[in-house]
Structure formats: C-alpha cells, structure tokens
Amino acid sequence: MAEVSPVKQSRLIFVVALLVTLGGCTSRPDGVEPVSSFDVQRYMGEWFEIMRLDHRFERGLTNVTATYTLRDDGSVGVLNRGFDRKTCRWKEADGRAVFQGDRDTASLSVTFFWPFAGGYHVFALDKQDYGWALISGPSRKYLWILARQPNLSADVRNRLVDQARSLGFPVDDLILVDHGVPSRSWLELRVA
C-alpha cells in the first residue's frame, strides 16, 4: 500500500470534514416532521416574516419578506428582503432551494452562498388557505413564522409558538418582526 503524505492526508481530512459539515446543515431537528401533501405551487409568492429567532444575517431588519418562485428546472427561487433602519437601505439575499426528497414533503435545502446550504423544513402549515407556515432550519436555533399578510392573529401565532415550544425550540427568544413604515427618509426617497 502506498504511503500518503501528511499534507495529502490533512487535505483529505479537511475535505471529508467539510462534506460532513455541509451535509449536516440541511438536516432537521429531531422530532420536526415536515408537512406532507405539500403543494409547492400554492406555496409560491410573497410571505411576510411574523416572528423569528434572530441571527446575524437578519439582525436589525424589519419589513422582512420571502418571495418564492418556481424555476424551469423544478427548483425554487428564494428572495429574502428586509429593511435596515440604521442604514435606511433594503437588504436582499437571492437563493435557490431544492427538495430533499419527494416534492410533496416540505423539506428543502436552500443555498444563498454556494456551496453552503441550509435546511428549510415547513412543519406546520395552513393547508386550507396556505395563509401561514412554521419553518425550522437545520437545528432548533432557526425558527420562523410566516404569513401571507404582514400580521397574524394572536390566536394562530400563540398556537404556532406553543407547537414550537413543545418541540424544544427556544421560543422565549422569538422576536416579533415590525412591518410598519420603514422610515421617513425611505418615504422621501420613494417619492423623489
């Protein structure tokens, strides 16, 4: 058997560790079961972020929306948009999502910056109207409540928070996303 140099061995270990790490980012937390009988066509369009566990990539953003579009190749276009009141600017992240299995199971892998992907798992959904959704990322550190309107009744919001709590999510850390007018200066820019 040929001897492998320490440099090649280190590179191989790094590549294997990177692949394991990247693969693990699309998983879902134990106990989180993605919605079945999922209709991706009905899910398309604009959603408003109602509540979230805050992360650096969204920190300080208000008026956050996610717009989903079906692409010709069967993948889903993802455009996340939010307003940064400190800089008075809109921030956007454009990504692509693919189903992790059957297209009728709401478990996707989303990529905003290749080669890094994250899990996107819809585990509660208003199946009648597709009016609200509860989404987990790859771990319990990621949680979003989305709705088709910028507000959601307190009753529905509380039920979704209780469901997430029962699955071990840190719901006391959820923030309510503001969808008010971004700022006076923003309005002046829009009118000019």
Side-chain angles (χ1 to χ4, degrees), residues 42-182:
R42 292 183 67 198
Y43 200 77
M44 297 299 99
E46 184 177 50
W47 290 83
F48 294 85
E49 193 176 86
I50 304 300
M51 297 184 87
R52 70 170 180 255
L53 290 177
D54 211 18
H55 285 278
R56 65 173 174 74
F57 53 86
E58 286 187 290
R59 190 148 298 127
L61 297 183
T62 64
N63 303 82
V64 179
T65 60
T67 303
Y68 304 101
T69 55
L70 199 55
R71 294 181 172 181
D72 292 339
D73 66 359
S75 67
V76 176
V78 180
L79 178 63
N80 289 344
R81 189 169 194 249
F83 191 76
D84 184 337
R85 290 189 175 167
K86 285 184 181 178
T87 63
C88 289
R89 295 181 189 265
W90 288 97
K91 291 187 175 183
E92 292 185 350
D94 198 1
R96 177 178 176 266
V98 294
F99 283 90
Q100 292 192 24
D102 297 332
R103 292 179 61 82
D104 66 346
T105 300
S107 183
L108 297 99
S109 173
V110 181
T111 302
F112 288 100
F113 308 102
W114 188 87
F116 303 102
Y120 182 98
H121 313 286
V122 180
F123 65 100
L125 178 66
D126 170 15
K127 285 197 172 184
Q128 181 175 343
D129 299 320
Y130 275 59
W132 50 259
L134 183 59
I135 297 102
S136 167
S139 74
R140 285 181 173 77
K141 294 179 183 178
Y142 302 92
L143 182 69
W144 296 270
I145 296 175
L146 304 181
R148 293 294 189 170
Q149 301 297 320
N151 51 40
L152 187 62
S153 76
D155 178 53
V156 172
R157 216 173 49 228
N158 290 338
R159 280 190 294 127
L160 295 174
V161 169
D162 287 345
Q163 182 175 352
R165 178 182 288 113
S166 74
L167 291 169
F169 286 88
V171 297
D172 291 340
D173 296 332
L174 282 168
I175 64 167
L176 189 61
V177 179
D178 184 3
H179 284 281
V181 175

Side-chain angles (χ1 to χ4, degrees), residues 27-39:
S27 62
R28 66 179 188 265
D30 290 337
V32 170
E33 290 300 321
V35 169
S36 58
S37 301
F38 180 69
D39 185 346

